[in-house]
Amino acid sequence: ARGFAEERVIAEGRRHAPGKQVIDPVLERLGRAGAGPLFLFAHLTEPHAPYDRGRAEGSEYERYLAEITVADAEIGRVRRLLKQRFADRGVLIVASDHGEAFGEHQTFQHTKTLYEELLHVPLLIEGQGIAPRIIDERVGLIDLGPTVLDLLNQPTPASLFGQSLVPLLGGRGRKLERPLIAEGRLRRALTTPAGIKVIDDPRRTTVEVYDLVADPGETRNLWGRDPARAEPALATLRAFFKAQALRRPGYEAPYKP
């Protein structure tokens, strides 16, 4: 895996390894950690369709919640070891690559839309000097790379868009200036610091704009109703993707229906 000195493949193909099979090697590697810095990444696939790792009965949503408890227990094993052996320098970061839809916007599971049920994911960070609290600042997964590098006292390459969250973790303010961007199936989304979210679908030539503060469920499209807020957000989104688009002779962005 690019950027890693070690890699442990637990499952190949489309088979999802149970959480215990993923976390056991993590605990083993932590047990061999020395005095120097160490960064470990593990990907749990609970919760995930077909939602059969927690309980066999109940609705899909109930089985999904049961799988969250399975993932929570496995994360708890890592947390206990960090507290036992690395209380003075261990940091635990828990995030998700996507959410899950259960009928919101007439969709189920994930990958199909860029609505908040898929984009608004948990982010929990625990470690020495991090006081327990909720931070309302909107951040993105692109900020995790710079944050980890900052925690390890390493510089962030200029090619990374994200910004370190370490000042926020320490209770200090930080102005976050990078855009919050999402992309999938040729749809693009941008969320402004004020909570205005625009979804641009150039393939279907549709635009959706939502005020996530007043309308967190994204039920009222402001496009055509509130041009003062909607049009600048769309212009910013399109300018960003125009500047960052990959351009090569014969290249066409892949589309998955």
Side-chain angles (χ1 to χ4, degrees):
R2 187 175 63 176
F4 286 83
E6 305 173 31
E7 181 181 13
R8 187 81 64 89
V9 178
I10 307 302
E12 297 183 355
R14 297 187 63 84
R15 185 179 77 85
H16 293 166
K20 185 177 186 305
Q21 290 184 13
V22 175
I23 296 303
D24 280 352
V26 172
L27 300 181
E28 186 273 331
R29 185 62 185 86
L30 276 173
R32 294 189 286 110
L38 174 67
F39 172 73
L40 296 177
F41 172 83
H43 187 173
L44 295 173
T45 46
E46 298 101 351
H48 199 287
Y51 320 121
D52 57 358
R53 300 269 179 88
R55 54 186 286 190
E57 69 285 345
S59 67
E60 284 195 337
Y61 184 66
E62 290 170 333
R63 289 185 282 122
Y64 173 79
L65 294 181
E67 286 199 334
I68 291 176
T69 66
V70 175
D72 185 64
E74 294 302 328
I75 293 167
R77 297 170 63 205
V78 178
R79 183 171 182 260
R80 285 191 292 274
L81 183 56
L82 285 174
K83 286 183 172 293
Q84 291 167 3
R85 291 205 56 203
F86 306 103
D88 60 336
R89 63 187 181 105
V91 177
L92 176 65
I93 300 176
V94 179
S96 177
D97 54 343
H98 59 77
E100 200 82 341
F102 289 91
E104 301 92 339
H105 300 97
Q106 292 77 54
T107 61
F108 292 85
Q109 298 185 15
H110 54 273
T111 76
K112 301 174 181 66
T113 74
L114 294 179
Y115 296 119
E116 289 299 280
E117 54 265 23
L118 300 191
L119 298 190
H120 189 188
V121 297
L123 175 60
L124 300 94
I125 305 178
E126 181 184 59
Q128 180 68 24
I130 302 175
R133 65 194 183 282
I134 296 173
I135 299 174
D136 292 327
E137 183 82 36
R138 295 182 185 276
V139 301
L141 295 178
I142 60 168
D143 298 319
L144 292 185
T147 299
V148 170
L149 289 170
D150 201 359
L151 289 169
L152 296 173
N153 297 314
Q154 298 297 313
T156 296
S159 59
L160 297 189
F161 280 111
Q163 293 178 262
S164 172
L165 305 179
V166 168
L168 295 177
L169 301 179
R172 306 185 301 279
R174 168 144 204 205
K175 186 176 181 181
L176 299 173
E177 299 172 327
R178 77 286 175 269
L180 287 177
I181 295 289
E183 185 177 21
R185 300 193 173 182
L186 301 189
R187 298 181 184 93
R188 300 96 58 90
L190 176 144
T191 303
T192 71
I196 300 300
K197 177 180 175 182
V198 55
I199 304 173
D200 187 22
D201 189 337
R203 186 172 180 273
R204 295 177 176 83
T205 64
T206 61
V207 177
E208 299 171 69
V209 180
Y210 300 100
D211 182 341
L212 296 182
V213 177
D215 179 26
E218 297 164 293
T219 61
R220 186 172 185 269
N221 186 1
L222 300 180
W223 184 248
R225 299 181 181 181
D226 191 345
R229 291 191 294 174
E231 292 179 4
L234 177 63
T236 301
L237 180 150
R238 288 181 172 173
F240 176 87
F241 279 97
K242 182 179 180 180
Q244 303 302 327
L246 176 63
R247 293 179 177 85
R248 289 177 183 165
Y251 173 78
E252 210 171 300
Y255 173 71
K256 179 181 180 181

Short mmCIF file of all heavy atoms in Angstrom, two decimals, residues 227-254:
data_model
loop_
_atom_site.label_atom_id
_atom_site.label_comp_id
_atom_site.label_asym_id
_atom_site.label_seq_id
_atom_site.Cartn_x
_atom_site.Cartn_y
_atom_site.Cartn_z
N PRO A 227 -30.79 32.96 -5.29
CA PRO A 227 -29.58 33.11 -6.11
C PRO A 227 -28.42 33.79 -5.39
O PRO A 227 -27.25 33.53 -5.70
CB PRO A 227 -30.06 33.93 -7.30
CG PRO A 227 -31.31 34.61 -6.83
CD PRO A 227 -31.94 33.66 -5.87
N ALA A 228 -28.71 34.63 -4.41
CA ALA A 228 -27.64 35.35 -3.72
C ALA A 228 -26.70 34.40 -3.00
O ALA A 228 -25.49 34.66 -2.87
CB ALA A 228 -28.24 36.35 -2.73
N ARG A 229 -27.23 33.29 -2.52
CA ARG A 229 -26.37 32.30 -1.84
C ARG A 229 -26.02 31.14 -2.76
O ARG A 229 -24.91 30.59 -2.69
CB ARG A 229 -27.07 31.77 -0.59
CG ARG A 229 -27.21 32.79 0.52
CD ARG A 229 -27.66 32.16 1.82
NE ARG A 229 -29.02 31.62 1.72
CZ ARG A 229 -29.60 30.91 2.69
NH1 ARG A 229 -28.93 30.63 3.80
NH2 ARG A 229 -30.84 30.47 2.55
N ALA A 230 -26.92 30.76 -3.62
CA ALA A 230 -26.72 29.56 -4.44
C ALA A 230 -25.70 29.77 -5.55
O ALA A 230 -24.82 28.92 -5.77
CB ALA A 230 -28.05 29.10 -5.03
N GLU A 231 -25.79 30.88 -6.25
CA GLU A 231 -24.93 31.06 -7.42
C GLU A 231 -23.45 31.21 -7.07
O GLU A 231 -22.60 30.64 -7.75
CB GLU A 231 -25.44 32.24 -8.24
CG GLU A 231 -26.80 31.92 -8.90
CD GLU A 231 -27.34 33.08 -9.71
OE1 GLU A 231 -26.63 34.11 -9.82
OE2 GLU A 231 -28.47 32.96 -10.22
N PRO A 232 -23.07 31.97 -6.01
CA PRO A 232 -21.64 32.01 -5.65
C PRO A 232 -21.08 30.65 -5.25
O PRO A 232 -19.94 30.32 -5.56
CB PRO A 232 -21.61 33.00 -4.49
CG PRO A 232 -22.83 33.84 -4.65
CD PRO A 232 -23.86 32.93 -5.22
N ALA A 233 -21.90 29.84 -4.56
CA ALA A 233 -21.42 28.51 -4.16
C ALA A 233 -21.18 27.64 -5.38
O ALA A 233 -20.17 26.92 -5.46
CB ALA A 233 -22.45 27.84 -3.23
N LEU A 234 -22.09 27.69 -6.37
CA LEU A 234 -21.90 26.90 -7.57
C LEU A 234 -20.68 27.39 -8.35
O LEU A 234 -19.90 26.58 -8.88
CB LEU A 234 -23.14 26.98 -8.45
CG LEU A 234 -23.05 26.24 -9.79
CD1 LEU A 234 -22.86 24.74 -9.58
CD2 LEU A 234 -24.29 26.50 -10.64
N ALA A 235 -20.49 28.70 -8.43
CA ALA A 235 -19.33 29.24 -9.14
C ALA A 235 -18.02 28.79 -8.49
O ALA A 235 -17.06 28.44 -9.19
CB ALA A 235 -19.41 30.77 -9.17
N THR A 236 -18.00 28.76 -7.16
CA THR A 236 -16.80 28.31 -6.45
C THR A 236 -16.53 26.84 -6.73
O THR A 236 -15.39 26.44 -7.00
CB THR A 236 -16.96 28.53 -4.93
OG1 THR A 236 -17.18 29.91 -4.68
CG2 THR A 236 -15.72 28.06 -4.18
N LEU A 237 -17.58 26.02 -6.69
CA LEU A 237 -17.42 24.58 -6.97
C LEU A 237 -16.86 24.36 -8.37
O LEU A 237 -15.91 23.61 -8.57
CB LEU A 237 -18.76 23.87 -6.80
CG LEU A 237 -18.79 22.36 -7.05
CD1 LEU A 237 -19.85 21.69 -6.20
CD2 LEU A 237 -19.06 22.03 -8.51
N ARG A 238 -17.46 25.02 -9.36
CA ARG A 238 -17.04 24.79 -10.74
C ARG A 238 -15.63 25.31 -10.99
O ARG A 238 -14.86 24.71 -11.75
CB ARG A 238 -18.05 25.43 -11.69
CG ARG A 238 -19.37 24.64 -11.73
CD ARG A 238 -20.39 25.23 -12.68
NE ARG A 238 -21.54 24.34 -12.81
CZ ARG A 238 -22.65 24.65 -13.48
NH1 ARG A 238 -22.76 25.83 -14.09
NH2 ARG A 238 -23.65 23.78 -13.55
N ALA A 239 -15.27 26.41 -10.35
CA ALA A 239 -13.90 26.93 -10.50
C ALA A 239 -12.89 25.95 -9.91
O ALA A 239 -11.82 25.74 -10.49
CB ALA A 239 -13.79 28.29 -9.82
N PHE A 240 -13.24 25.35 -8.77
CA PHE A 240 -12.33 24.39 -8.15
C PHE A 240 -12.10 23.19 -9.06
O PHE A 240 -10.96 22.79 -9.32
CB PHE A 240 -12.89 23.93 -6.80
CG PHE A 240 -12.06 22.86 -6.14
CD1 PHE A 240 -10.99 23.19 -5.33
CD2 PHE A 240 -12.34 21.51 -6.34
CE1 PHE A 240 -10.21 22.20 -4.73
CE2 PHE A 240 -11.58 20.52 -5.75
CZ PHE A 240 -10.51 20.88 -4.94
N PHE A 241 -13.18 22.60 -9.55
CA PHE A 241 -13.02 21.39 -10.36
C PHE A 241 -12.41 21.71 -11.73
O PHE A 241 -11.72 20.86 -12.30
CB PHE A 241 -14.37 20.67 -10.50
CG PHE A 241 -14.70 19.83 -9.30
CD1 PHE A 241 -15.53 20.32 -8.31
CD2 PHE A 241 -14.17 18.56 -9.15
CE1 PHE A 241 -15.82 19.55 -7.19
CE2 PHE A 241 -14.46 17.78 -8.04
CZ PHE A 241 -15.29 18.28 -7.06
N LYS A 242 -12.62 22.89 -12.23
CA LYS A 242 -11.98 23.27 -13.48
C LYS A 242 -10.47 23.36 -13.28
O LYS A 242 -9.68 22.92 -14.13
CB LYS A 242 -12.52 24.61 -13.97
CG LYS A 242 -11.92 25.05 -15.30
CD LYS A 242 -12.53 26.37 -15.76
CE LYS A 242 -11.90 26.80 -17.09
NZ LYS A 242 -12.48 28.10 -17.56
N ALA A 243 -10.06 23.91 -12.15
CA ALA A 243 -8.62 24.05 -11.88
C ALA A 243 -7.96 22.71 -11.56
O ALA A 243 -6.79 22.50 -11.88
CB ALA A 243 -8.41 25.02 -10.72
N GLN A 244 -8.70 21.78 -10.95
CA GLN A 244 -8.10 20.54 -10.47
C GLN A 244 -8.36 19.34 -11.37
O GLN A 244 -7.87 18.25 -11.08
CB GLN A 244 -8.63 20.23 -9.06
CG GLN A 244 -8.39 21.32 -8.04
CD GLN A 244 -6.93 21.66 -7.89
OE1 GLN A 244 -6.06 20.80 -8.02
NE2 GLN A 244 -6.64 22.92 -7.60
N ALA A 245 -9.11 19.50 -12.44
CA ALA A 245 -9.46 18.36 -13.29
C ALA A 245 -8.22 17.76 -13.94
O ALA A 245 -7.30 18.48 -14.36
CB ALA A 245 -10.45 18.79 -14.36
N LEU A 246 -8.20 16.45 -14.02
CA LEU A 246 -7.11 15.75 -14.69
C LEU A 246 -7.28 15.90 -16.20
O LEU A 246 -8.35 15.60 -16.75
CB LEU A 246 -7.13 14.27 -14.30
CG LEU A 246 -6.10 13.38 -15.01
CD1 LEU A 246 -4.69 13.80 -14.66
CD2 LEU A 246 -6.33 11.92 -14.66
N ARG A 247 -6.24 16.34 -16.86
CA ARG A 247 -6.28 16.53 -18.31
C ARG A 247 -5.13 15.77 -18.95
O ARG A 247 -3.96 16.06 -18.71
CB ARG A 247 -6.18 18.02 -18.66
CG ARG A 247 -7.40 18.83 -18.23
CD ARG A 247 -7.25 20.30 -18.58
NE ARG A 247 -8.44 21.06 -18.21
CZ ARG A 247 -8.66 21.55 -17.01
NH1 ARG A 247 -7.77 21.37 -16.05
NH2 ARG A 247 -9.77 22.22 -16.75
N ARG A 248 -5.49 14.79 -19.75
CA ARG A 248 -4.52 14.02 -20.53
C ARG A 248 -5.14 13.71 -21.88
O ARG A 248 -6.36 13.56 -21.98
CB ARG A 248 -4.17 12.70 -19.82
CG ARG A 248 -3.33 12.85 -18.58
CD ARG A 248 -3.10 11.49 -17.93
NE ARG A 248 -2.37 11.58 -16.69
CZ ARG A 248 -2.29 10.61 -15.80
NH1 ARG A 248 -2.92 9.47 -16.01
NH2 ARG A 248 -1.57 10.76 -14.70
N PRO A 249 -4.33 13.59 -22.93
CA PRO A 249 -4.89 13.27 -24.25
C PRO A 249 -5.67 11.95 -24.20
O PRO A 249 -5.16 10.93 -23.75
CB PRO A 249 -3.65 13.15 -25.14
CG PRO A 249 -2.62 14.00 -24.47
CD PRO A 249 -2.88 13.86 -23.00
N GLY A 250 -6.93 11.99 -24.61
CA GLY A 250 -7.76 10.79 -24.64
C GLY A 250 -8.39 10.40 -23.32
O GLY A 250 -9.14 9.43 -23.26
N TYR A 251 -8.08 11.16 -22.24
CA TYR A 251 -8.64 10.79 -20.93
C TYR A 251 -10.08 11.26 -20.82
O TYR A 251 -10.42 12.38 -21.17
CB TYR A 251 -7.82 11.39 -19.81
CG TYR A 251 -8.46 11.17 -18.44
CD1 TYR A 251 -8.35 9.94 -17.80
CD2 TYR A 251 -9.19 12.17 -17.82
CE1 TYR A 251 -8.94 9.72 -16.59
CE2 TYR A 251 -9.78 11.97 -16.59
CZ TYR A 251 -9.66 10.74 -15.96
OH TYR A 251 -10.25 10.54 -14.75
N GLU A 252 -10.91 10.39 -20.29
CA GLU A 252 -12.29 10.72 -19.98
C GLU A 252 -12.59 10.20 -18.58
O GLU A 252 -12.25 9.06 -18.25
CB GLU A 252 -13.23 10.05 -21.00
CG GLU A 252 -14.51 10.85 -21.23
CD GLU A 252 -15.33 10.29 -22.39
OE1 GLU A 252 -14.80 10.25 -23.51
OE2 GLU A 252 -16.46 9.86 -22.13
N ALA A 253 -13.20 11.03 -17.75
CA ALA A 253 -13.49 10.60 -16.38
C ALA A 253 -14.38 9.38 -16.39
O ALA A 253 -15.41 9.37 -17.07
CB ALA A 253 -14.17 11.74 -15.62
N PRO A 254 -14.03 8.33 -15.66
CA PRO A 254 -14.83 7.10 -15.66
C PRO A 254 -16.18 7.34 -14.99
O PRO A 254 -16.27 8.08 -14.01
CB PRO A 254 -13.98 6.10 -14.87
CG PRO A 254 -13.10 6.95 -14.01
CD PRO A 254 -12.84 8.21 -14.80
#
